[in-house]
Amino acid sequence: MTPTLVGLLMFGAMLVLMAVRVPIAAAMFIPGAVGYLTLSGEAALLNQLKGSAVARLTVYDLSVIPLFLLMGQFATRAA
C-alpha cells in the first residue's frame, strides 16, 4: 500500500471511530498507531511510543504549570 492510501484509510477510520462516539484521544491514537505500524513495522512503533512518553513527561516548560496553580491556591487561602 502507498503511504497516501494508508493515510486516507486511517483518516476515514478516525472519522468512523468519532462517529461511533469513541473518545477523541483514542479515535486519533488507534488509527495513527495502526498506520505507523503498517508503514514502519512493530519495532519502529514501539520505539516511537517509548520515546514520546518520556518526551512528554520531561518537558521543563510544562512543569511550572502545577506550581503556578499551587501558588494560586496559596494566595487564595492566605486572604
Side-chain angles (χ1 to χ4, degrees):
M1 263 195 260
T2 65
T4 305
L5 181 60
V6 171
L8 290 173
L9 287 173
M10 292 304 115
F11 183 71
M14 181 189 71
L15 292 177
V16 168
L17 287 171
M18 286 181 184
V20 295
R21 301 188 56 90
V22 172
I24 290 185
M28 292 177 75
F29 173 74
I30 293 169
V34 171
Y36 197 82
L37 179 68
T38 303
L39 294 175
S40 299
E42 182 179 358
L45 174 64
L46 293 176
N47 278 334
Q48 175 69 24
L49 292 176
K50 176 184 68 170
S52 65
V54 171
R56 297 287 182 246
L57 295 174
T58 59
V59 176
Y60 174 75
D61 296 339
L62 296 178
S63 67
V64 298
I65 294 174
L67 296 174
F68 183 76
L69 294 174
L70 181 64
M71 181 184 65
Q73 284 296 319
F74 285 154
T76 302
R77 303 286 176 169

